[in-house]
Amino acid sequence: MLNPQTDLFLIIDVQNDFCPGGALGVNGGDEIIPLINSLTRRFDNVVLTQDWHPAGHSSFASSHEGKAPFEMIEMSYGMQNLWPDHCIQGSFGAQFHENLDTDKAQMIIRKGFRTGVDSYSAYFENDKETRTGLAGFIQERGFNRVFMAGLATDFCVGFSALDGKSLGLDVFVVEDACRAIDMDGSLASMLQQFEDNGVKRIQSAELTVST
Ligand code: VGL
Ligand code: ZN
């Protein structure tokens, strides 16, 4: 079903801090890496995202007195989850996992680099206005289908998938190549939003290259 020339593979945040042992480790986050690498070999066009926060970022609980990780606060742009300090620019935690094959990536989108606004999505920051440039890249290059993998299903993969769909792209989340944080029902809620908005969920075995 794949068209390697016109489909894009978008790999979200496979970084040390989102893998077990990292600051915001996702269960099984490193298990998906061999599968992601094997998918990468089936596409001609691959883009990576990298969560990339300055120290003292406003999404860190440590930046808000009396707040703990995984609480919520109200920001100027709406509600924001608070996280442990993670993916600090230049740190080991922000690096891609060493087993991730990054050679084929044509572009790396860094996100969350403005102190005052978080960015889950690869397309828009959490203010829903500030663009990362990925939509322009996709449009100029003429991709219309985006296949997604990485971390975490219920945050950065999920919000990227929803935004991709809202931009008119055909979006597929390769479920077995993702892992979720799953706090307070966040995974169930994201899967419902996929359903409501037409984001398709597929398994990697369905991604065969059409000849
Ligand atoms: C992410 C929380 C904070 C993610 C990034 O990649 O899903 N989650 N920053
Ligand atoms: Zn982050």
Side-chain angles (χ1 to χ4, degrees):
M1 57 107 59
L2 270 191
N3 181 331
Q5 281 84 45
T6 58
D7 291 335
L8 181 68
F9 189 36
L10 177 58
I11 306 169
I12 304 293
D13 297 1
V14 182
Q15 294 166 257
N16 292 319
D17 270 344
F18 295 124
C19 290
L24 184 40
V26 179
N27 281 334
D30 53 346
E31 287 168 16
I32 58 176
I33 296 173
L35 180 56
I36 291 176
N37 290 340
S38 92
L39 293 174
T40 293
R41 291 192 279 277
R42 297 180 216 173
F43 287 84
D44 284 357
N45 301 290
V46 178
V47 168
L48 308 179
T49 67
Q50 189 171 27
D51 211 40
W52 193 249
H53 301 306
H57 191 255
S58 58
S59 75
F60 298 167
S62 63
S63 303
H64 304 273
E65 210 174 318
K67 293 287 176 191
F70 309 108
E71 290 181 22
M72 304 265 285
I73 54 159
E74 178 141 19
M75 303 279 275
S76 57
Y77 53 82
M79 295 307 286
Q80 169 69 48
N81 299 83
L82 294 176
W83 305 106
D85 292 18
H86 65 279
C87 295
I88 293 177
Q89 296 172 1
S91 69
F92 173 78
Q95 288 173 22
F96 294 113
H97 190 286
E98 62 173 353
N99 294 342
L100 184 73
D101 185 354
T102 61
D103 290 353
K104 211 170 181 178
Q106 295 171 359
M107 187 169 65
I108 297 170
I109 289 275
R110 287 176 167 167
K111 57 186 182 62
F113 50 77
R114 291 184 178 83
T115 301
V117 48
D118 202 7
S119 189
Y120 295 147
S121 162
Y123 298 95
F124 291 95
E125 299 191 5
N126 288 10
D127 62 5
K128 306 275 179 215
E129 272 172 27
T130 310
R131 289 172 175 261
T132 63
L134 180 59
F137 173 85
I138 289 175
Q139 192 189 17
E140 283 202 7
R141 294 285 303 277
F143 302 121
N144 44 34
R145 297 201 305 179
V146 180
F147 292 81
M148 301 194 52
L151 303 169
T153 321
D154 43 349
F155 286 92
C156 290
V157 175
F159 287 107
S160 300
L162 292 168
D163 279 350
K165 185 72 197 178
S166 78
L167 290 164
L169 299 163
D170 207 3
V171 180
F172 300 79
V173 173
V174 187
E175 275 193 302
D176 50 332
C178 299
R179 289 291 183 275
I181 295 174
D182 200 12
M183 53 182 247
D184 301 332
S186 55
L187 179 59
S189 147
M190 185 55 73
L191 295 179
Q192 185 63 50
Q193 291 187 71
F194 287 174
E195 167 125 4
D196 295 344
N197 292 280
V199 170
K200 290 167 213 149
R201 296 159 58 185
I202 60 167
Q203 302 299 313
S204 57
E206 297 171 56
L207 282 182
T208 49
V209 180
S210 41
T211 45

